[in-house]
């Protein structure tokens, strides 16, 4: 029901350092936005990491960069706005029409998924489209929506004309097992033939919701160009 986006993988921070991250809340979790903010504020007072480094929130903004909460604790309720996936897809289509769509997909975070029983070692557009459809269905289930699973039309699947791949990983420490973990995936770019309207819509939705495994921690983030 949520995604954390952060491409700052530093493990050490010093006094005066700052970092930026995004949280995307879906469906009913929107009701708990204030609780997320209270938890972050309390965590900053308590401190985190080995030496309990304390921090404070500089600002919180919405997807349009409008202030929701400033460093003095003032809340701007007029900027609390809900955006649907449909709104996002419509906006991105207009962007692509204005800028011109090159048929390029760039993964901005590692992508990890199984296809036909095996972890992907290279990009396959059919697997990416199926992952988008599956994630939409999972979010529907979380909202208790009694909707049938989306059936992707596997005809006219575009060919990948070229792809650039490199393996990547994100280190993580598990508080439950008290062990370091290594989550692996693939990064890179894909260059495609022409997409159908259905495929474009599905991929643009995938930009927002993320696809594959470990999406809660930001995996599976990509963007069309």
């Amino acid at each position: 029901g949520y995604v954390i986006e952060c491409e700052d993988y530093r493990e050490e921070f010093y006094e005066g350092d700052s970092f930026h991250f995004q949280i995307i809340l879906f469906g009913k979790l929107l009701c708990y936005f204030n609780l997320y903010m209270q938890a972050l504020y309390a965590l900053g007072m308590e401190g985190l990491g080995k030496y309990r480094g304390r921090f404070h929130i500089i600002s919180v903004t919405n997807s349009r960069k409008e202030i929701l909460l400033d460093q003095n604790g003032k809340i701007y309720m007029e900027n609390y706005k809900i955006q649907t996936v449909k709104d996002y897809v419509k906006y991105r289509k207009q962007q692509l029409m204005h800028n011109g769509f090159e048929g390029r997909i760039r993964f901005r975070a590692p992508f990890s998924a199984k296809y036909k029983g095996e972890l992907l070692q290279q990009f396959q557009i059919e697997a990416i489209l199926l992952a988008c459809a599956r994630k939409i269905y999972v979010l529907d289930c979380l909202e208790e929506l009694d909707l049938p699973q989306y059936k992707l039309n596997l005809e006219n699947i575009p060919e990948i004309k070229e792809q650039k791949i490199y393996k990547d990983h994100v280190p993580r420490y598990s508080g439950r097992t008290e062990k370091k973990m290594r989550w692996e995936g693939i990064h890179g770019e894909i260059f495609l033939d022409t997409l159908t309207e259905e495929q474009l819509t599905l991929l643009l939705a995938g930009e927002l919701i993320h696809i594959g495994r470990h999406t809660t921690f930001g995996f599976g983030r990509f963007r069309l160009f």
Side-chain angles (χ1 to χ4, degrees):
Y2 69 90
V3 167
I4 297 175
E5 295 180 339
C6 182
E7 294 167 17
D8 186 339
Y9 299 134
R10 287 178 292 168
E11 296 183 17
E12 294 185 3
F13 289 84
Y14 301 92
E15 184 176 357
D17 287 349
S18 63
F19 69 96
H20 172 266
F21 65 96
Q22 298 183 119
I23 300 178
I24 304 174
L25 303 178
F26 297 102
K28 297 174 183 177
L29 282 187
L30 288 168
C31 300
Y32 300 108
F33 174 77
N34 287 332
L35 293 180
Y36 278 86
M37 292 302 99
Q38 291 173 28
L40 283 171
Y41 176 80
L43 185 60
M45 296 294 292
E46 177 71 18
L48 68 119
K50 185 176 180 180
Y51 300 109
R52 293 293 180 185
R54 298 175 66 184
F55 65 90
H56 68 274
I57 299 172
I58 298 174
S59 68
V60 179
T61 63
N62 62 21
S63 59
R64 298 179 180 179
K65 307 302 181 184
E66 299 167 331
I67 295 289
L68 297 175
L69 176 72
D70 65 23
Q71 60 183 342
N72 298 317
K74 183 179 178 181
I75 298 172
Y76 298 80
M77 288 300 298
E78 66 273 16
N79 293 334
Y80 277 66
K81 297 168 185 175
I82 297 174
Q83 183 186 52
T84 66
V85 176
K86 183 178 180 180
D87 293 335
Y88 178 84
V89 170
K90 181 179 178 181
Y91 168 72
R92 286 288 291 127
K93 282 184 177 180
Q94 291 172 345
Q95 268 195 328
L96 291 175
M97 286 178 62
H98 181 265
N99 298 328
F101 179 45
E102 304 172 9
R104 179 160 53 106
I105 302 176
R106 177 186 297 160
F107 275 83
R108 301 172 65 172
F111 173 50
S112 176
K114 279 190 174 182
Y115 182 58
K116 295 182 179 179
E118 296 184 0
L119 276 176
L120 289 174
Q121 300 299 317
Q122 62 180 9
F123 295 113
Q124 295 191 40
I125 188 60
E126 185 175 325
I128 292 171
L129 289 168
L130 288 170
C132 290
R134 175 173 173 76
K135 184 62 178 292
I136 291 171
Y137 177 65
V138 169
L139 289 174
D140 286 342
C141 290
L142 287 172
E143 289 302 294
E144 300 178 6
L145 299 175
D146 187 16
L147 298 173
Q149 186 166 358
Y150 181 82
K151 297 295 183 182
L152 177 66
N153 182 2
L154 295 179
E155 296 181 2
N156 300 318
I157 294 294
E159 291 187 7
I160 296 178
K161 296 187 293 186
E162 181 185 349
Q163 59 177 295
K164 300 175 182 178
I165 311 166
Y166 60 92
K167 293 184 178 180
D168 198 2
H169 74 277
V170 173
R172 177 177 176 260
Y173 180 81
S174 171
R176 183 178 61 84
T177 61
E178 298 184 349
K179 293 180 180 179
K180 288 186 176 181
M181 305 172 68
R182 180 185 171 100
W183 284 351
E184 298 184 346
I186 53 176
H187 250 308
E189 288 189 336
I190 312 169
F191 297 87
L192 299 170
D193 285 331
T194 304
L195 293 167
T196 66
E197 186 69 17
E198 176 194 28
Q199 292 163 355
L200 179 60
T201 299
L202 204 55
L203 287 170
L204 289 175
E207 281 188 349
L208 183 67
I209 62 180
H210 294 219
I211 59 172
R213 306 193 306 170
H214 312 315
T215 54
T216 298
F217 292 90
F219 269 48
R221 183 183 185 190
F222 65 90
R223 192 170 179 86
L224 276 65
F225 295 91

